[in-house]
Each structure stands twice: as C-alpha cells, then as structure tokens.
Amino acid sequence: MKNYKNYLIAVLSGLLILSLSTQQAQSAAKTYDAVKLAEYQSCLNAQNNYDIALMQSQGGNGSMNILENLKNCLAYKPY
C-alpha cells in the first residue's frame, strides 16, 4: 500500500509539472509571433524590391534571387 501511494504521488507530481510547463510555453509563443511575422514579411518585401530595382537599372536584365532573399531574412523567420 505504501508503494502504491508513492507511485500515485510521483505520477500526479509529474502531470502537474507537465501541465505548468506547457501552459507557460504556449503563452510566451503567442506574444511574439505577430511581431516576428511582420518583421519577416517586411524583410522579404525589401529584398524583393531591391531585386526589382536592380533589374530595372539594368534595362530589365536579370532575375530575382528568391533563395538568397529567404536566406538573408532567416533571422526574422517566426518558428
């Protein structure tokens, strides 16, 4: 009977810690997602506008380097 109570206490303590830790992580992620998304979108727009301006200055020659733009804005990408 004593081992059963100890086992039950350990399981309930584990569930309590798990529920507290997951609630804090969810609330913290929601506060920064909108800001990170806006910064990421702004960075991509700036990179694309630069590519377009560069092509126009060269008489329409050239192409947009999408993969390079994504790499340049990786620091702002929300996860």
Side-chain angles (χ1 to χ4, degrees):
M1 187 70 175
K2 189 175 185 179
N3 288 338
Y4 179 72
K5 287 182 183 178
N6 288 342
Y7 178 73
L8 185 62
I9 290 171
V11 168
L12 291 175
S13 298
L15 289 174
L16 178 63
I17 291 171
L18 180 66
S19 68
L20 291 175
S21 65
T22 56
Q23 287 176 356
Q24 291 174 352
Q26 290 174 353
S27 64
K30 291 179 184 176
T31 57
Y32 296 105
D33 284 348
V35 174
K36 293 287 275 183
L37 182 60
E39 290 175 342
Y40 184 62
Q41 188 174 12
S42 176
C43 180
L44 288 176
N45 286 339
Q47 293 287 323
N48 291 338
N49 288 342
Y50 177 77
D51 282 351
I52 291 170
L54 189 62
M55 284 190 301
Q56 288 178 349
S57 70
Q58 297 173 351
N61 296 328
S63 62
M64 294 184 66
N65 194 351
I66 302 297
L67 294 178
E68 187 68 29
N69 293 349
L70 291 173
K71 191 186 317 179
N72 291 340
C73 296
L74 192 60
Y76 299 107
K77 186 176 180 182
Y79 294 102

